[in-house]
Amino acid sequence: MKHFWTHKENMPSEEPGYGQFTIGHFFLLALSTLLIICYVILYNKSDSETRIILRRSIAFTLIFIDIIKMILIGKSTVKLSNYLPLELCSFASYVIVLDSIFADNTIFPIMLLTMFMPAAIMAILFPTTSTLPVLNFYTIHQFLYHALIIAYIMARFLCKEITLTYSGVWTSILQIIILAIIIYVIDAVFDKNFMFLRDPYGNPVLDLLWKTFKGGISYTLGLVAFCIFMIHVFYGFFKLISILFLK
């Protein structure tokens, strides 16, 4: 508990983190999976009014714990402007808030399933907090935050509240391109790296893209192309599940 509130930029180099695909990482993945399963089961057994409460509870929790994170970073010696909620999964939480309010819309659910689900899964498989201890606020935040996003999306999908259409996939692609352009301009103007558009930040998958596309703008375009590819992969995966199991 010595370094529970310590940000990774302030973590002593001699302090080992939980690492990637280690016992500590698998423990966190197991807890995240348990949370997701419990939420999906509870959501499935609930009536429509209770489901509204459950959806809005996740939306509130996502925003609340992000505010706590921003306050803690702001009170530390870490530069807050480098950690503003402008990452892809931050936008997922904003869409979840809107979706929890306007649950009858047809745009937000498909965005969540095809655009934000891959990002949330990658965030817990290749966490940026791996240099921190398991019992650390930022570690817990990362896994809780992304597990809640996955739980929200999976509950709506498995309870047949999301209708997948291929036109919706191209809507998601258009949105990710527009979002990438806006964030890249912000990154370039203020010398930041939101959405990892200018630097892989030690992520193994993004490191591979960086090496493949030789860095620079080629890496950024390659990352966008990779996101478009993953949107299609997840569309195909969830469409198959819908056909086989959710008729």
Side-chain angles (χ1 to χ4, degrees):
M1 298 294 289
K2 177 182 177 182
H3 294 291
F4 184 82
W5 302 107
T6 304
H7 191 274
K8 62 183 177 181
E9 287 191 19
N10 294 329
M11 183 63 63
S13 57
E14 66 272 11
E15 293 288 338
Y18 61 83
Q20 290 187 354
F21 303 118
T22 60
I23 293 176
H25 188 194
F26 286 127
F27 172 73
L28 291 167
L29 287 173
L31 287 181
S32 300
T33 303
L34 181 62
L35 172 62
I36 294 166
I37 292 172
C38 289
Y39 180 84
V40 170
I41 292 173
L42 177 61
Y43 191 87
N44 182 56
K45 293 181 178 295
S46 300
D47 57 30
S48 57
E49 292 184 358
T50 305
R51 287 184 178 184
I52 292 174
I53 295 173
L54 289 172
R55 290 196 298 269
R56 292 179 181 176
S57 295
I58 281 190
F60 171 81
T61 303
L62 288 171
I63 299 301
F64 178 74
I65 62 176
D66 235 12
I67 291 174
I68 297 299
K69 177 186 172 184
M70 291 297 102
I71 291 174
L72 289 173
I73 293 176
K75 294 181 70 174
S76 71
T77 59
V78 177
K79 195 173 183 179
L80 179 60
S81 61
N82 290 337
Y83 296 95
L84 296 176
L86 294 175
E87 305 296 348
L88 194 55
C89 288
S90 300
F91 290 103
S93 69
Y94 308 149
V95 172
I96 284 175
V97 170
L98 294 174
D99 185 68
S100 70
I101 298 171
F102 307 104
D104 294 330
N105 74 87
T106 57
I107 298 176
F108 298 144
I110 296 178
M111 288 173 58
L112 289 168
L113 197 62
T114 59
M115 188 162 76
F116 296 120
M117 176 69 94
I121 291 175
M122 179 173 285
I124 61 175
L125 288 179
F126 305 101
T128 56
T129 56
S130 60
T131 55
L132 293 169
V134 169
L135 291 177
N136 175 277
F137 170 81
Y138 298 98
T139 297
I140 295 171
H141 176 281
Q142 176 158 39
F143 282 86
L144 176 61
Y145 190 86
H146 294 96
L148 288 175
I149 291 174
I150 296 170
Y152 184 98
I153 299 170
M154 288 304 297
R156 293 214 66 190
F157 172 70
L158 294 175
C159 291
K160 303 178 183 180
E161 295 178 353
I162 299 177
T163 302
L164 274 174
T165 62
Y166 194 58
S167 60
V169 169
W170 284 102
T171 300
S172 294
I173 290 172
L174 178 61
Q175 289 160 341
I176 194 72
I177 291 174
I178 293 173
L179 184 59
I181 292 172
I182 294 172
I183 297 300
Y184 186 83
V185 170
I186 293 174
D187 285 348
V189 171
F190 297 100
D191 192 26
K192 302 299 179 184
N193 187 41
F194 298 118
M195 287 176 54
F196 307 103
L197 289 174
R198 301 176 71 206
D199 190 289
Y201 203 59
N203 183 291
V205 175
L206 301 186
D207 275 334
L208 180 60
L209 288 175
W210 179 271
K211 292 174 183 176
T212 301
F213 293 99
K214 312 300 182 184
I217 189 65
S218 296
Y219 159 76
T220 303
L221 294 174
L223 178 56
V224 173
F226 177 72
C227 290
I228 293 172
F229 170 74
M230 291 306 297
I231 286 173
H232 278 87
V233 169
F234 272 71
Y235 168 78
F237 176 72
F238 286 115
K239 192 67 175 180
L240 184 61
I241 291 177
S242 296
I243 295 171
L244 296 178
F245 305 108
L246 300 179
K247 291 182 179 180

